[in-house]
Amino acid sequence: MALLYILHSLLKLAFLCSFWPTVIPLSLNYPAVFNFGDSNSDTGGLVAGKAFPMTQFNGETYFHEPSGRFCDGRLIIDFLMEAMELPYMNPYLESVGSPSFQTGCNFATGGSTILPANAASTSPFSFNLQLSQFFRFKNRALTLLSKDKELQNYLPAEDDFNKALYIFDIGQNDLDGVFYFPASDEQVVAFISKLMSELNYGMKRLYDAGARNFWVHNTGPLGCLPRIIATFGKKPSNLDEHGCVASHNRAATVFNKKLHDMCLQFLAHSPEANITYVDIFSIKLNLISNYSLYGFQQPLAACCGYGGPPLNFDTRIACGVTKDLNGSIVTANPCNNTAEYINWDGTHYTEAANGFVADEILTGNYSDSPHLRNSPFLT
């Protein structure tokens, strides 16, 4: 009887695992990567596409010059590319310097949203447009390769599109924007559901075109960004035990739960798909909550900003900018040691923090969370 019980348990485990394929968490091996997202993974798209003015301090830690990234150095995507032993990703919109796209292409641009952009959007390159760019890129690459095989040193092979890793790190700007307009909890939930429908549709388009390996980042603790705290955290009652804006983190939690469910629904209708859902929220909140254990000294203050403690952030002046504030000429300068800070400029993370997050991702401890197995879709 004991043997029969063990066999039954093993068969049940195998059945559950068949619904959630495991993408190798510690040893990533893909011929190419295609990334869709916002400034959290933008490696120069907004700068190339809109000539967005990049402060001189961005990139200072690693690249020693502005690199198109909203960070003092490398982003999470950069560290992941290093782990895969692939070159850093070139943005689709970059045309100067003969960029190579042999190992993939980055369609992420700062300010991008899941929902289509409007006239007030920072970036016109929302998720649907990034997808259109990808399909044009793929069609154009395959057409050129059919005419000139030497271009295989610069463009992905046809088979590489099917074997590639497709990364999604987007939605923070959609969620951020909700709080600047009056909305009930029910309206916020309905809005998030709309985001999931849009994301699911886009992923299905990629799947139907041959994509099989999907890597989905959930959104981080939005309420812990200095910019959000400075705007919505003026009342102590709005803050949680970490000093973060509670309403924004609650919304992020709802977003992540629905993103989680969407991945399972997508998987149920896409039997050949491999999806890794990565819990960025938990990694970042753990870092902020236990910052001193990981060698950081400032959990919430911006490294590059103005105003001093506790946030060193002023909504009137961005990192690297010099302007007249109340009759005084001031500059939002960077801190002396970026490795002591989690936040870079009020919205984005430092290279040190990004490196920590990437290391935690690569442990596999925050991927394919066990509670996925308890989803109603698996009962």
Side-chain angles (χ1 to χ4, degrees), residues 324-374:
D324 186 329
L325 289 185
N326 302 321
S328 298
I329 303 298
V330 299
T331 301
N333 285 311
C335 56
N336 293 326
N337 185 357
T338 61
E340 296 177 351
Y341 286 71
I342 292 173
N343 193 278
W344 167 238
D345 59 2
T347 299
H348 308 98
Y349 285 65
T350 60
E351 175 181 280
N354 287 331
F356 173 88
V357 173
D359 286 344
E360 292 297 287
I361 290 172
L362 293 169
T363 66
N365 294 332
Y366 293 88
S367 302
D368 299 344
S369 305
H371 67 277
L372 282 168
R373 315 254 190 250
N374 299 322

Side-chain angles (χ1 to χ4, degrees), residues 41-57:
S41 59
D42 180 1
T43 56
L46 191 64
V47 172
K50 279 189 66 177
F52 188 87
M54 184 64 69
T55 173
Q56 68 205 53
F57 301 123

Side-chain angles (χ1 to χ4, degrees), residues 7 9 14 22 68 76 85 106 244 258 263 280 294 312 337 361:
L7 288 172
S9 298
T22 299
I76 294 170
E85 298 184 350
N106 193 359
C244 305
K258 287 191 172 292
C263 287
I280 298 294
Y294 302 117
N312 192 39
N337 185 357
I361 290 172

